[in-house]
Amino acid sequence: MSNWTVELAVDHLLDAEDSRHDIEPMSDTWTEFTLGEAYRVQDKTLARRLTRGEHVTGVKLGLTSRAKQARMGVDTPLTAWLTDVMVLPTGDPVPLGRLIHPRVEPEIVFVMGEELKGPGVTAGQALAAVHSVHAGLEVIDSRYRDFRFTLPDVVADNASSGFVVTGSVALSPHNLDLALEACVLEVDGRVVYTATGAAVQGHPAEALALAANSLAARGIAIQPGWLVFTGGMTDAVPIREGGQVTASFTSLGTLTLGARTD
């Protein structure tokens, strides 16, 4: 396809998600596919989701760690949307029948207590607006074949959104050293990765500030009560039927995800 438009891209991506089939990156044939166009696709896709009854519950950051950037071949963090249908209740298995090729990554999650609006937000100001900090797992699921994409492709695809789950332990950010908050990621009882919060832009609050400032350029403020998933601390791991992924944090508790086919 060579006659791409924002609306056509929205149709293409939502059809791939709804029918659970992967597609080639749009950048292969969209020669003028800029980052600005990609965010317009992302926002139009959100508008379509809201029209069909979904509700915004927060934002997420992608590619905030060097591990993720190296794996995906990009070097710039990005922002994307979370809606209520993406939130998986704690203890529920990942519904594999609704996904294409899911992978799981551990994250530090903020629940916002105050509005946070850029530009010019610092990490300190961002952290002051946080109500509580939680452990999180994100199930990412790119619509692109073999997880191959450019930065505009993944931005348009809402940063490979799938599902998110948040731990029940809720701590004040003022009582934590989030740069040193450690996480051990296990797959089927075997340790595969370890990381600390410093893997996320040096400190998760830096990622939160980045989100606020990035969204401000689109006229958007982070709202009280929103979840903010600050980005994968490690590379993502595949999850399969009967498998189990566990993330154990120093202070934020332990989260475990199983999987089932619908």
Short mmCIF file of all heavy atoms in Angstrom, two decimals, residues 3 5 12 15 17-18 26 29 50 63 71-72 78 81 100 119 130 147 159 204 227 234 240 245 253 261:
data_model
loop_
_atom_site.label_atom_id
_atom_site.label_comp_id
_atom_site.label_asym_id
_atom_site.label_seq_id
_atom_site.Cartn_x
_atom_site.Cartn_y
_atom_site.Cartn_z
N ASN A 3 -0.70 4.62 -0.69
CA ASN A 3 -1.52 5.83 -0.53
C ASN A 3 -2.00 5.98 0.91
O ASN A 3 -3.18 6.15 1.18
CB ASN A 3 -2.71 5.80 -1.48
CG ASN A 3 -3.58 4.56 -1.28
OD1 ASN A 3 -3.11 3.55 -0.78
ND2 ASN A 3 -4.84 4.65 -1.66
N THR A 5 -2.96 7.28 4.59
CA THR A 5 -3.46 8.46 5.30
C THR A 5 -3.57 8.08 6.77
O THR A 5 -3.49 6.89 7.12
CB THR A 5 -4.85 8.88 4.79
OG1 THR A 5 -5.79 7.83 5.10
CG2 THR A 5 -4.83 9.15 3.30
N HIS A 12 -6.14 0.10 9.53
CA HIS A 12 -5.22 -1.01 9.32
C HIS A 12 -4.76 -1.61 10.66
O HIS A 12 -4.77 -2.83 10.85
CB HIS A 12 -4.02 -0.48 8.53
CG HIS A 12 -3.19 -1.53 7.87
ND1 HIS A 12 -3.70 -2.51 7.06
CD2 HIS A 12 -1.83 -1.73 7.90
CE1 HIS A 12 -2.72 -3.28 6.61
NE2 HIS A 12 -1.57 -2.82 7.11
N ASP A 15 -7.77 -3.18 12.68
CA ASP A 15 -8.16 -4.45 12.06
C ASP A 15 -7.18 -5.55 12.42
O ASP A 15 -7.58 -6.69 12.72
CB ASP A 15 -8.25 -4.29 10.55
CG ASP A 15 -8.59 -5.60 9.86
OD1 ASP A 15 -9.72 -6.10 10.06
OD2 ASP A 15 -7.73 -6.14 9.14
N GLU A 17 -5.32 -5.70 15.11
CA GLU A 17 -5.53 -6.04 16.52
C GLU A 17 -6.79 -6.86 16.72
O GLU A 17 -6.77 -7.88 17.42
CB GLU A 17 -5.61 -4.75 17.35
CG GLU A 17 -5.84 -4.99 18.83
CD GLU A 17 -5.93 -3.70 19.61
OE1 GLU A 17 -5.42 -2.66 19.14
OE2 GLU A 17 -6.53 -3.72 20.70
N ASP A 18 -7.87 -6.44 16.11
CA ASP A 18 -9.16 -7.11 16.32
C ASP A 18 -9.20 -8.51 15.71
O ASP A 18 -9.83 -9.42 16.26
CB ASP A 18 -10.30 -6.27 15.74
CG ASP A 18 -10.50 -4.96 16.49
OD1 ASP A 18 -10.02 -4.85 17.64
OD2 ASP A 18 -11.12 -4.04 15.92
N MET A 26 4.26 -0.22 8.42
CA MET A 26 3.73 0.75 7.47
C MET A 26 4.83 1.58 6.85
O MET A 26 4.70 2.06 5.72
CB MET A 26 2.69 1.64 8.16
CG MET A 26 1.44 0.88 8.56
SD MET A 26 0.12 1.92 9.25
CE MET A 26 0.87 2.46 10.79
N THR A 29 6.19 1.14 3.19
CA THR A 29 5.57 1.73 1.98
C THR A 29 5.09 3.16 2.19
O THR A 29 4.72 3.82 1.22
CB THR A 29 4.37 0.86 1.54
OG1 THR A 29 3.49 0.65 2.65
CG2 THR A 29 4.84 -0.50 1.03
N LEU A 50 -12.41 5.25 22.25
CA LEU A 50 -13.37 5.91 23.13
C LEU A 50 -14.77 5.84 22.54
O LEU A 50 -15.76 5.66 23.28
CB LEU A 50 -12.95 7.36 23.36
CG LEU A 50 -11.59 7.58 24.04
CD1 LEU A 50 -11.33 9.07 24.23
CD2 LEU A 50 -11.48 6.83 25.35
N LEU A 63 10.20 2.05 25.43
CA LEU A 63 11.60 2.19 25.03
C LEU A 63 12.35 3.19 25.90
O LEU A 63 13.12 4.02 25.41
CB LEU A 63 11.68 2.60 23.55
CG LEU A 63 10.89 1.69 22.58
CD1 LEU A 63 10.99 2.23 21.16
CD2 LEU A 63 11.36 0.25 22.65
N ARG A 71 17.07 -3.75 21.66
CA ARG A 71 16.33 -4.86 21.06
C ARG A 71 15.51 -4.40 19.86
O ARG A 71 15.42 -5.09 18.83
CB ARG A 71 15.42 -5.53 22.09
CG ARG A 71 14.58 -6.66 21.48
CD ARG A 71 13.78 -7.41 22.53
NE ARG A 71 12.99 -8.44 21.91
CZ ARG A 71 13.43 -9.64 21.53
NH1 ARG A 71 14.69 -9.95 21.71
NH2 ARG A 71 12.64 -10.51 20.96
N MET A 72 14.88 -3.24 19.99
CA MET A 72 13.97 -2.77 18.95
C MET A 72 14.65 -1.88 17.91
O MET A 72 14.02 -1.47 16.94
CB MET A 72 12.80 -2.02 19.59
CG MET A 72 11.98 -2.88 20.53
SD MET A 72 11.44 -4.43 19.75
CE MET A 72 10.65 -5.25 21.13
N LEU A 78 9.05 6.87 23.97
CA LEU A 78 7.78 7.31 23.40
C LEU A 78 6.68 7.19 24.43
O LEU A 78 6.83 6.55 25.46
CB LEU A 78 7.45 6.48 22.16
CG LEU A 78 7.42 4.96 22.35
CD1 LEU A 78 6.01 4.48 22.58
CD2 LEU A 78 8.02 4.26 21.14
N TRP A 81 -1.13 5.32 25.08
CA TRP A 81 -2.33 5.38 25.91
C TRP A 81 -2.65 4.05 26.58
O TRP A 81 -2.41 2.99 26.02
CB TRP A 81 -3.53 5.81 25.05
CG TRP A 81 -3.41 7.19 24.53
CD1 TRP A 81 -3.11 7.57 23.26
CD2 TRP A 81 -3.56 8.40 25.29
NE1 TRP A 81 -3.07 8.94 23.17
CE2 TRP A 81 -3.34 9.47 24.40
CE3 TRP A 81 -3.85 8.67 26.62
CZ2 TRP A 81 -3.41 10.80 24.80
CZ3 TRP A 81 -3.92 9.99 27.02
CH2 TRP A 81 -3.70 11.04 26.12
N ILE A 100 -1.33 -11.58 19.53
CA ILE A 100 -0.62 -12.15 18.40
C ILE A 100 0.65 -12.86 18.85
O ILE A 100 0.82 -14.05 18.63
CB ILE A 100 -0.29 -11.05 17.36
CG1 ILE A 100 -1.58 -10.38 16.87
CG2 ILE A 100 0.49 -11.64 16.17
CD1 ILE A 100 -1.34 -9.13 16.03
N PRO A 119 4.93 22.20 29.56
CA PRO A 119 6.32 21.75 29.45
C PRO A 119 7.15 22.15 30.67
O PRO A 119 6.67 22.83 31.57
CB PRO A 119 6.80 22.49 28.20
CG PRO A 119 6.01 23.77 28.22
CD PRO A 119 4.65 23.40 28.74
N VAL A 130 2.86 12.45 42.43
CA VAL A 130 2.52 11.02 42.51
C VAL A 130 1.84 10.71 43.82
O VAL A 130 2.28 11.14 44.89
CB VAL A 130 3.78 10.16 42.33
CG1 VAL A 130 3.49 8.70 42.63
CG2 VAL A 130 4.34 10.31 40.92
N PHE A 147 7.98 -8.37 15.32
CA PHE A 147 8.36 -7.20 16.13
C PHE A 147 9.34 -6.31 15.36
O PHE A 147 10.23 -5.70 15.94
CB PHE A 147 8.97 -7.62 17.47
CG PHE A 147 7.95 -7.77 18.58
CD1 PHE A 147 7.16 -8.92 18.67
CD2 PHE A 147 7.78 -6.80 19.54
CE1 PHE A 147 6.24 -9.07 19.69
CE2 PHE A 147 6.86 -6.94 20.56
CZ PHE A 147 6.08 -8.07 20.63
N ALA A 159 2.56 1.95 21.01
CA ALA A 159 3.68 1.35 21.75
C ALA A 159 3.44 -0.12 22.07
O ALA A 159 3.71 -0.58 23.17
CB ALA A 159 3.98 2.13 23.02
N PRO A 204 12.82 6.39 37.42
CA PRO A 204 11.46 6.40 36.86
C PRO A 204 10.79 7.77 36.85
O PRO A 204 9.95 8.04 35.99
CB PRO A 204 10.71 5.41 37.76
CG PRO A 204 11.76 4.49 38.26
CD PRO A 204 12.98 5.35 38.45
N LEU A 227 -2.94 5.92 35.82
CA LEU A 227 -1.76 5.06 35.91
C LEU A 227 -0.71 5.57 34.94
O LEU A 227 -1.04 5.97 33.82
CB LEU A 227 -2.11 3.62 35.53
CG LEU A 227 -3.12 2.86 36.36
CD1 LEU A 227 -3.46 1.52 35.68
CD2 LEU A 227 -2.59 2.61 37.76
N THR A 234 13.57 -4.26 31.98
CA THR A 234 14.40 -5.26 31.31
C THR A 234 13.84 -5.48 29.90
O THR A 234 12.81 -4.92 29.53
CB THR A 234 14.36 -6.61 32.05
OG1 THR A 234 13.07 -7.21 31.88
CG2 THR A 234 14.63 -6.43 33.54
N ARG A 240 3.70 -18.05 27.18
CA ARG A 240 2.97 -19.07 26.43
C ARG A 240 2.00 -19.79 27.35
O ARG A 240 2.10 -19.71 28.58
CB ARG A 240 3.95 -20.07 25.81
CG ARG A 240 4.94 -19.43 24.84
CD ARG A 240 5.92 -20.44 24.27
NE ARG A 240 6.81 -19.83 23.29
CZ ARG A 240 7.96 -19.25 23.59
NH1 ARG A 240 8.36 -19.20 24.86
NH2 ARG A 240 8.72 -18.71 22.65
N VAL A 245 5.31 -15.99 34.35
CA VAL A 245 6.31 -14.93 34.47
C VAL A 245 6.13 -14.26 35.82
O VAL A 245 5.01 -13.87 36.18
CB VAL A 245 6.18 -13.90 33.33
CG1 VAL A 245 7.17 -12.76 33.53
CG2 VAL A 245 6.39 -14.57 31.99
N GLY A 253 6.82 -5.62 46.21
CA GLY A 253 6.13 -6.90 46.21
C GLY A 253 6.43 -7.72 44.96
O GLY A 253 7.33 -7.42 44.17
N THR A 261 -5.35 -19.82 26.75
CA THR A 261 -5.92 -19.55 25.43
C THR A 261 -7.43 -19.50 25.57
O THR A 261 -8.04 -20.39 26.14
CB THR A 261 -5.53 -20.64 24.43
OG1 THR A 261 -4.10 -20.67 24.33
CG2 THR A 261 -6.13 -20.36 23.06
#
